[in-house]
Amino acid sequence: MIPPAFEYARPESVEEAVRLLADAGEEAKVLAGGQSLLPLLRLRLAFPELVVDVGRIPRLRGVREDGDTLVIGALTTHHDVIRDPLVRRHAGLLAEATATVADPAVRHRGTLGGSLAHADPAGDLPAVVLALDAELIAAGPDGRRAIPAREFFVDYLQSALAPDEVLVEVRVPKTDGWGFHYEKFHRVAQAWAIVGVAALVRRDDGRVAEARIGLTNMGTTPLRASAAEAALAGADGPEAVARAAERAAEGTRPAQDLSASPEYRAHLARVLTRRAVLAAGGTG
């Protein structure tokens, strides 16, 4: 399908991009890697008057350390996230989950920031940054502001970004010493996850000292499985993990669609949480 007509701008700085967005108001869309926006345009599910292509802004790419935090530019591609030695060493969950996104062609073009700003609860990476307690940095007319991941995803395909803001970087706390695993169920390779679970586990003296669990496609936004996290504290073996995982779907509102019923998604959340936590080292 042919997309609707729109104006196109390609700024070379964050400041120029913000000015263009501020002038256009809510009638503009930001284009990063294009793997989320272009399908919406082709299907005529988005009707921007202006598309602001930030792909030429070099300051928005790359990974660096800032003390106990990794700073990842919003335009860093999935491919580069997967291969980056800092990400692999200090945020292995992000590297592992990103390797499951779509297919190699999409991973070479799609960007971390674009995926998060798209705010699709069926996307793999929103639940991952929730589990990682990441911060997302937005630049706007009044400067920069930090948005905790738990506050960034507002509703279905809606983020906390203002119309005149650009996501510029993602700050991920290092999780050295934590076990991790991303587990998802999808009917065919490269399809959206029907349900996904991002698990981080920190053990102490043979028990689970702390667990963080992000859920993909269990509501209109990515979610934390808070009840299961609390139940996992002190778990010392597979049976305790299984009991805690039974609480993974508490507080969620999974959708009814052609792929699955809410009840089936809740079942998957419980099963995948058990698998992910055990794979992350929560076995006692």
Side-chain angles (χ1 to χ4, degrees):
M1 186 176 291
I2 300 173
F6 54 82
E7 296 294 322
Y8 173 83
R10 197 165 193 179
E12 297 187 358
S13 70
V14 172
E15 294 75 17
E16 183 183 356
V18 168
R19 285 196 300 272
L20 288 165
L21 292 172
D23 290 343
E26 296 186 1
E27 305 305 320
K29 290 286 186 182
V30 174
L31 174 68
Q35 303 307 294
S36 298
L37 179 60
L38 292 181
L40 294 181
L41 293 175
R42 286 198 298 268
L43 293 171
R44 295 194 171 227
L45 296 175
F47 297 86
E49 293 183 3
L50 172 67
V51 170
V52 179
D53 183 350
V54 297
R56 279 188 176 172
I57 303 177
R59 289 167 47 195
L60 300 186
R61 298 183 185 276
V63 182
R64 61 181 174 85
E65 293 181 273
D66 183 10
D68 292 332
T69 301
L70 292 184
V71 182
I72 307 174
L75 284 184
T76 306
T77 65
H78 301 316
H79 174 77
D80 288 343
V81 167
I82 296 165
R83 294 172 58 87
D84 188 89
L86 290 175
V87 176
R88 295 172 70 89
R89 185 180 310 127
H90 300 298
L93 176 63
L94 179 60
E96 181 179 282
T98 304
T100 74
V101 171
D103 55 40
V106 169
R107 293 194 291 270
H108 275 81
R109 291 287 302 173
T111 64
L112 174 60
S115 177
L116 299 178
H118 187 50
D120 191 337
D124 298 293
L125 303 184
V128 173
V129 297
L130 268 183
L132 288 166
D133 281 340
E135 277 191 333
L136 295 91
I137 310 301
D142 298 322
R144 295 192 173 200
R145 67 183 180 112
I147 309 169
R150 63 183 178 275
E151 299 174 7
F152 186 79
F153 306 102
V154 176
D155 204 343
Y156 183 71
L157 299 184
Q158 294 182 29
S159 76
L161 290 172
D164 55 3
E165 287 184 318
V166 177
L167 181 62
V168 293
E169 63 188 33
V170 182
R171 298 180 64 87
V172 178
K174 295 178 180 178
T175 51
D176 299 30
W178 290 66
F180 59 86
H181 186 67
Y182 185 65
E183 184 88 19
K184 73 176 178 179
F185 179 80
H186 47 173
R187 296 189 186 280
V188 296
Q190 303 163 3
W192 295 103
I194 295 176
V195 174
V197 175
L200 281 165
V201 175
R202 181 173 60 83
R203 291 175 56 187
D204 183 28
D205 196 26
R207 296 174 178 267
V208 175
E210 184 180 356
R212 302 184 202 158
I213 301 168
L215 299 176
T216 294
N217 217 1
M218 286 295 290
T220 57
T221 65
L223 300 168
R224 286 277 288 267
S226 301
E229 291 176 349
L232 281 164
D236 59 357
E239 295 81 8
V241 169
R243 288 193 298 271
E246 286 298 306
R247 305 189 63 183
E250 290 185 17
T252 67
R253 292 186 177 180
Q256 168 80 51
D257 57 28
L258 294 176
S259 296
S261 67
E263 294 77 16
Y264 185 53
R265 281 198 165 92
H267 166 72
L268 286 175
R270 293 188 288 267
V271 171
L272 298 181
T273 295
R274 177 178 58 81
R275 291 180 184 175
V277 171
L278 289 175
T283 58

